[in-house]
Amino acid sequence: MTQIAIASSPLPFSLRMGSALRLSDDELYELCARNPELRIERNAEGDLIVMTPAGGASGHRNLEIVAALAVWARRDGTGAGFDSSTGFVLPNGAMRAPDAAWIVYTRLQPLSAEAKEHFIPLCPDFVVELRSPSDRLADLQAKMEEYRDHGARLGWLIDPQEQRVHVYRLGRPVEMLENPDRIEGDPELPGLVLDLKRIWAPL
């Protein structure tokens, strides 16, 4: 594997790789496994994005989101939910790790057991990105468009700083909700409800 040293630098930052240094999916998986304290993604150009670990409030918010998704997924029974430690390789070669995601079982079943243990080579059907204080809104918006371009049926970009939710759906304009108390997944994920009061004031 190509040896890459990640120096102590202000996070987040991008590491431009170029075509000669582009990591394979297996090499990227090994890099992430060797640096579990970092959140690493790869964009479509092969550059690595190294992000800061979540602070306390962001971590608690993310737990609330994943817990709500997990409870709904068990009850619904048609797909599997994932937390922020899961990587997904999109058709454009990017590897993204949304804060929460869900995929219908009929798309997961054809994957081998080995594929399920590594980065999942699918774009999720549903994604959530939670903005932290270090995140640029434009970067998250671009990621949400990327998910939608590759087939995500529903996406929520939750911005606690502005108390807004940007809702992404296939074939529809982005909807922006101002300070909602809750958000629902209907019709794409019927019955999924997230209480946003616990997101706006987590601790």
Side-chain angles (χ1 to χ4, degrees):
M1 174 182 173
T2 303
Q3 296 295 310
I4 297 175
I6 296 179
S8 310
S9 302
L11 298 176
F13 69 89
S14 295
L15 189 62
R16 292 179 174 81
M17 303 295 288
S19 57
L21 292 177
R22 185 181 180 110
L23 301 181
S24 69
D25 293 346
D26 288 342
E27 288 171 333
L28 180 57
Y29 184 85
E30 183 178 343
L31 178 68
C32 293
R34 288 174 177 268
N35 295 275
E37 73 281 5
L38 298 175
R39 290 192 61 193
I40 302 172
E41 292 186 339
R42 179 181 65 200
N43 65 21
E45 290 70 42
D47 300 332
L48 303 184
I49 300 96
V50 183
M51 293 165 284
T52 181
S58 290
H60 187 75
R61 289 182 175 109
N62 205 64
L63 179 66
E64 291 288 339
I65 293 167
V66 170
L69 179 60
V71 169
W72 172 83
R74 290 193 202 103
R75 185 176 65 246
D76 176 75
T78 64
F82 303 89
D83 70 7
S84 61
S85 63
T86 309
F88 299 89
V89 177
L90 306 184
N92 66 354
M95 189 283 286
R96 300 298 188 184
D99 290 301
W102 179 87
I103 300 179
V104 67
Y105 281 131
T106 53
R107 297 181 61 223
L108 287 168
Q109 286 167 348
L111 299 180
S112 68
E114 182 180 7
K116 293 174 185 176
E117 289 293 338
H118 290 79
F119 298 139
I120 295 178
L122 297 171
C123 180
D125 295 287
F126 169 63
V127 293
V128 180
E129 290 285 356
L130 174 67
R131 186 185 182 191
S132 69
S134 63
D135 289 328
R136 292 178 63 248
L137 181 59
D139 292 340
L140 294 178
Q141 290 172 321
K143 285 171 66 174
M144 297 303 292
E145 294 287 356
E146 184 179 50
Y147 294 131
R148 186 167 64 173
D149 288 345
H150 291 293
R153 294 187 283 127
L154 178 65
W156 295 344
L157 168 50
I158 300 175
D159 184 353
Q161 297 175 54
E162 303 293 336
Q163 296 195 355
R164 291 174 179 161
V165 180
H166 306 249
V167 181
Y168 291 74
R169 288 185 166 94
L170 278 176
R172 295 175 57 178
V174 178
E175 180 183 6
M176 186 162 61
L177 307 178
E178 298 279 357
N179 194 23
D181 289 335
R182 54 187 268 162
I183 186 170
E184 301 179 4
D186 294 323
E188 292 85 2
L189 277 65
L192 174 62
V193 178
L194 177 63
D195 180 359
L196 289 166
K197 295 188 296 295
R198 301 175 69 88
I199 304 299
W200 304 149
L203 297 174

